Amino acid sequence: GDDVFYREYRKEALKICDLAIQKFPNSDGAHNCKLFKKTIVAPSISLNFKKAQVSKQNILTGLSYRNLDKVFIKIYKHDYDNIIQKITYYENQDEGYAAAKKGTLVKEVQFSLKAFDDHFDHTTEISIDPLDIGFYTVTFSSHETDADIESFNGFTSFWSTDIGVIDMNSYYGGGQIFNIVNRATGTPIANANVGICRMKYNYSTYLYEKEKI
């Protein structure tokens, strides 16, 4: 069908690139073809974590991948206030990735993925064992040794929590209304002690700082 034909496009593009490189090895076109080939065959991983997961329940997340058949995942627990600036504001991906690994390693797992040779993105769902309440970073890589120069590395973060916040605009001009509920059941949490903060930029440190309202 059309989908099968479409899935052959990048394989055909590689063949055309190889032919151009072979016929005109010193041309600008050949140089561009080499760069294009690297883009097509490069590995890629993306995890679609929710920013808040219910604690002590299996974590289901979508995984998108390309040009690989395994993914290696590590989960680190952090003090939120100590880590959030480092994984939000960084000069390059390697710096952010290194910061994400500075916490306490609590889980390490690898997944085998169905291999495809069409060089397109594919998606699946993975399950990770439950975690206690806290703030976590997740690092993922295409190689078991993430220091490998050919490894595709990335990271994300999330909360494991039983608290959910539902916000809405007041019909009576009173600003925002926040309902604090149990994330799993949706029932209100009685006598919740809530603090409200905003992120304010500090021009001396060039960082955002949390300020209570």
Side-chain angles (χ1 to χ4, degrees):
D2 291 342
D3 185 61
V4 175
F5 180 71
Y6 167 74
R7 287 289 175 183
E8 297 296 312
Y9 279 2
R10 291 184 179 175
K11 291 168 69 174
E12 289 301 315
L14 286 176
K15 292 178 183 177
I16 294 170
C17 285
D18 286 337
L19 183 61
I21 293 167
Q22 180 184 359
K23 282 187 147 186
F24 311 101
N26 298 318
S27 66
D28 289 342
H31 173 73
N32 292 336
C33 282
K34 289 175 183 177
L35 296 177
F36 189 42
K37 279 187 65 176
K38 286 183 178 180
T39 301
I40 293 175
V41 302
S44 175
I45 311 167
S46 176
L47 287 178
N48 186 25
F49 265 89
K50 295 178 181 177
K51 286 302 178 183
Q53 306 282 346
V54 179
S55 72
K56 299 186 173 107
Q57 290 189 13
N58 282 354
I59 299 170
L60 298 177
T61 183
L63 184 150
S64 176
Y65 66 99
R66 182 174 70 243
N67 296 327
L68 51 87
D69 58 7
K70 279 191 176 95
V71 61
F72 300 87
I73 293 175
K74 294 180 180 178
I75 301 178
Y76 300 84
K77 192 171 186 179
H78 295 265
D79 179 288
Y80 175 82
D81 289 330
N82 289 339
I83 190 62
I84 190 61
Q85 294 276 3
K86 297 173 185 175
I87 61 171
T88 305
Y89 308 105
Y90 45 85
E91 291 188 2
N92 55 63
Q93 177 73 11
D94 289 342
E95 181 182 309
Y97 184 80
K101 295 173 62 179
K102 290 289 177 64
T104 302
L105 179 63
V106 296
K107 201 171 293 294
E108 189 171 358
V109 64
Q110 72 178 64
F111 294 94
S112 295
L113 307 170
K114 184 176 180 180
F116 295 90
D117 65 353
D118 56 14
H119 309 293
F120 278 89
D121 289 339
H122 295 269
T123 58
T124 187
E125 187 176 63
I126 59 174
S127 175
I128 296 173
D129 292 340
L131 294 166
D132 293 332
I133 290 172
F135 184 73
Y136 297 86
T137 58
V138 182
T139 66
F140 47 90
S141 57
S142 59
H143 286 56
E144 186 171 10
T145 304
D146 58 10
D148 190 322
I149 194 172
E150 294 183 355
S151 180
F152 179 95
N153 303 327
F155 71 94
T156 187
S157 62
F158 69 95
W159 283 95
S160 176
T161 178
D162 293 334
I163 297 173
V165 179
I166 301 173
D167 67 289
M168 62 187 75
N169 291 319
S170 169
Y171 290 112
Y172 304 103
Q176 293 285 107
I177 297 175
F178 296 92
N179 294 311
I180 312 302
V181 300
N182 182 291
R183 179 168 288 275
T185 65
T187 56
I189 297 177
N191 302 316
N193 184 11
V194 179
I196 301 177
C197 302
R198 64 182 176 185
M199 300 303 290
K200 186 176 181 180
Y201 190 72
N202 186 322
Y203 288 92
S204 298
T205 62
Y206 306 108
L207 295 172
Y208 282 93
E209 297 176 351
K210 188 165 62 176
E211 180 183 75
K212 283 191 174 182
I213 298 176

